[in-house]
Amino acid sequence: RGEVGHHGGQLRRELERSAGWRRVRYAGRISPERVPDLLGRARVGVLPLQPIPNYRVAYPVKLFEYLAAGMPVVATDVPLWRDLLETHGCGVCVPPDSPRRLAEAMTSLLDDDARARSMGERGRRAAERHYSWGSQADKLIALYGELLA
């Protein structure tokens, strides 16, 4: 979604020199209201993040953006994320330090429209039923009630 920090420009220049850059459509920094449109045109959501300690107990927001957009997900194999993706059958996990396996997983979904579409549909249903604000409201209200009691 754009460059982050002051090293972002350097990273972008390095990526632009790589062989695969010709297949990239770099959107640059985009406003939050444009995110749904951009995700609506993408076919696979990718989370190639390093498995830092925080991810043992937290999900990246973009995981839920991908699910809500009906996209199959290819993610770094973090147990918390793997459980969610396997439970709902909406994505695949790859080892964190294997660009080859990441590329194979992405290609596999891009080459199999039916599989990708069904994973995306399961992800969208999971987002609506289990991970939307509406589905979490009662739990949050109950938690506030316990904390205030």
Side-chain angles (χ1 to χ4, degrees):
R1 281 207 245 163
E3 297 171 4
V4 178
H6 90 280
H7 297 293
Q10 179 182 345
L11 175 60
R12 179 173 172 201
R13 286 188 293 279
E14 182 181 331
L15 291 171
E16 287 173 343
R17 291 190 297 271
S18 70
W21 186 258
R22 61 182 162 69
R23 295 188 306 229
V24 171
R25 290 185 204 139
Y26 180 69
R29 186 177 302 271
I30 62 170
S31 62
E33 53 274 359
R34 287 190 51 217
V35 171
D37 177 58
L38 185 64
L39 291 179
R41 291 183 278 132
R43 293 178 47 208
V44 175
V46 182
L47 292 170
L49 305 172
Q50 289 300 307
I52 61 174
N54 184 49
Y55 291 145
R56 279 185 259 156
V57 296
Y59 299 99
V61 171
K62 69 177 72 175
L63 171 60
F64 298 104
E65 291 175 334
Y66 294 159
L67 296 178
M71 299 165 61
V73 177
V74 175
T76 300
D77 192 358
V78 173
L80 186 67
W81 307 351
R82 181 181 350 105
D83 289 347
L84 184 151
L85 296 175
E86 288 179 354
T87 295
H88 301 292
C90 55
V92 296
C93 289
V94 297
D97 295 318
S98 180
R100 180 184 56 78
R101 295 278 298 277
L102 178 67
E104 288 171 353
M106 291 166 55
T107 301
S108 170
L109 287 169
L110 291 171
D111 288 344
D112 189 343
D113 284 335
R115 178 175 174 238
R117 195 175 313 108
S118 65
M119 282 182 148
E121 289 169 5
R122 288 191 295 269
R124 185 188 328 259
R125 281 195 306 271
E128 291 169 357
R129 293 179 185 164
H130 304 287
Y131 306 109
S132 68
W133 285 113
S135 70
Q136 297 299 306
D138 290 340
K139 294 178 187 175
L140 190 57
I141 290 169
L143 174 63
Y144 287 157
E146 290 175 25
L147 294 173
L148 296 172

